[in-house]
Short mmCIF file of all heavy atoms in Angstrom, two decimals:
data_model
loop_
_atom_site.label_atom_id
_atom_site.label_comp_id
_atom_site.label_asym_id
_atom_site.label_seq_id
_atom_site.Cartn_x
_atom_site.Cartn_y
_atom_site.Cartn_z
N GLU A 727 -59.39 -55.02 -19.57
CA GLU A 727 -60.49 -55.43 -18.72
C GLU A 727 -61.06 -54.20 -18.05
O GLU A 727 -60.33 -53.34 -17.56
CB GLU A 727 -59.99 -56.42 -17.65
CG GLU A 727 -59.36 -57.71 -18.25
CD GLU A 727 -58.80 -58.64 -17.19
OE1 GLU A 727 -58.67 -58.19 -16.02
OE2 GLU A 727 -58.54 -59.80 -17.55
N VAL A 728 -62.38 -54.12 -18.01
CA VAL A 728 -63.07 -53.01 -17.37
C VAL A 728 -63.88 -53.53 -16.20
O VAL A 728 -64.73 -54.45 -16.35
CB VAL A 728 -63.97 -52.27 -18.36
CG1 VAL A 728 -64.65 -51.09 -17.67
CG2 VAL A 728 -63.19 -51.79 -19.58
N THR A 729 -63.66 -52.98 -15.03
CA THR A 729 -64.46 -53.29 -13.83
C THR A 729 -65.21 -52.02 -13.45
O THR A 729 -65.01 -50.97 -14.01
CB THR A 729 -63.53 -53.73 -12.66
OG1 THR A 729 -62.94 -52.54 -12.07
CG2 THR A 729 -62.39 -54.66 -13.16
N PRO A 730 -66.10 -52.12 -12.46
CA PRO A 730 -66.77 -50.93 -12.05
C PRO A 730 -65.86 -49.82 -11.50
O PRO A 730 -66.31 -48.66 -11.41
CB PRO A 730 -67.74 -51.44 -10.96
CG PRO A 730 -67.98 -52.87 -11.30
CD PRO A 730 -66.66 -53.34 -11.83
N GLN A 731 -64.63 -50.20 -11.18
CA GLN A 731 -63.75 -49.19 -10.51
C GLN A 731 -62.51 -48.85 -11.35
O GLN A 731 -61.95 -47.76 -11.15
CB GLN A 731 -63.34 -49.74 -9.15
CG GLN A 731 -64.51 -49.80 -8.17
CD GLN A 731 -64.10 -50.31 -6.83
OE1 GLN A 731 -63.40 -51.31 -6.72
NE2 GLN A 731 -64.52 -49.60 -5.80
N VAL A 732 -62.05 -49.72 -12.23
CA VAL A 732 -60.83 -49.43 -12.94
C VAL A 732 -60.90 -49.95 -14.41
O VAL A 732 -61.72 -50.83 -14.75
CB VAL A 732 -59.60 -50.07 -12.30
CG1 VAL A 732 -59.41 -49.63 -10.85
CG2 VAL A 732 -59.65 -51.59 -12.37
N VAL A 733 -60.00 -49.38 -15.22
CA VAL A 733 -59.67 -49.94 -16.53
C VAL A 733 -58.28 -50.53 -16.39
O VAL A 733 -57.34 -49.75 -16.10
CB VAL A 733 -59.73 -48.90 -17.67
CG1 VAL A 733 -59.33 -49.56 -18.98
CG2 VAL A 733 -61.12 -48.29 -17.76
N ARG A 734 -58.11 -51.85 -16.56
CA ARG A 734 -56.79 -52.42 -16.40
C ARG A 734 -56.43 -53.22 -17.61
O ARG A 734 -57.28 -53.62 -18.40
CB ARG A 734 -56.79 -53.30 -15.15
CG ARG A 734 -57.61 -54.57 -15.26
CD ARG A 734 -57.73 -55.26 -13.91
NE ARG A 734 -58.63 -56.39 -13.97
CZ ARG A 734 -59.30 -56.95 -12.93
NH1 ARG A 734 -59.15 -56.40 -11.73
NH2 ARG A 734 -60.11 -57.97 -13.12
N HIS A 735 -55.10 -53.37 -17.76
CA HIS A 735 -54.56 -54.10 -18.88
C HIS A 735 -53.62 -55.16 -18.35
O HIS A 735 -52.67 -54.86 -17.58
CB HIS A 735 -53.84 -53.16 -19.87
CG HIS A 735 -54.73 -52.09 -20.38
ND1 HIS A 735 -55.32 -52.16 -21.63
CD2 HIS A 735 -55.14 -50.90 -19.86
CE1 HIS A 735 -56.04 -51.09 -21.84
NE2 HIS A 735 -55.96 -50.29 -20.79
N VAL A 736 -53.79 -56.39 -18.81
CA VAL A 736 -52.98 -57.49 -18.37
C VAL A 736 -51.95 -57.84 -19.46
O VAL A 736 -52.31 -57.96 -20.62
CB VAL A 736 -53.85 -58.74 -18.09
CG1 VAL A 736 -52.97 -59.98 -17.74
CG2 VAL A 736 -54.84 -58.45 -16.96
N ASP A 737 -50.67 -57.92 -19.11
CA ASP A 737 -49.64 -58.19 -20.10
C ASP A 737 -49.76 -59.63 -20.62
O ASP A 737 -49.90 -60.57 -19.80
CB ASP A 737 -48.27 -57.96 -19.49
CG ASP A 737 -47.15 -58.28 -20.44
OD1 ASP A 737 -47.07 -57.60 -21.48
OD2 ASP A 737 -46.38 -59.22 -20.16
N LEU A 738 -49.67 -59.77 -21.89
CA LEU A 738 -49.71 -61.08 -22.55
C LEU A 738 -48.41 -61.48 -23.17
O LEU A 738 -48.30 -62.56 -23.74
CB LEU A 738 -50.81 -61.12 -23.63
CG LEU A 738 -52.25 -60.74 -23.18
CD1 LEU A 738 -53.18 -60.75 -24.39
CD2 LEU A 738 -52.72 -61.75 -22.12
N SER A 739 -47.39 -60.64 -23.11
CA SER A 739 -46.16 -60.90 -23.80
C SER A 739 -45.13 -61.61 -22.96
O SER A 739 -44.10 -62.08 -23.49
CB SER A 739 -45.53 -59.56 -24.25
OG SER A 739 -45.03 -58.82 -23.13
N ALA A 740 -45.33 -61.71 -21.64
CA ALA A 740 -44.35 -62.27 -20.71
C ALA A 740 -43.09 -61.47 -20.62
O ALA A 740 -42.08 -61.90 -20.09
CB ALA A 740 -44.02 -63.72 -21.08
#
Side-chain angles (χ1 to χ4, degrees):
E727 300 176 345
V728 181
T729 79
Q731 294 180 310
V732 302
V733 178
R734 68 189 175 207
H735 299 263
V736 176
D737 177 62
L738 303 177
S739 72

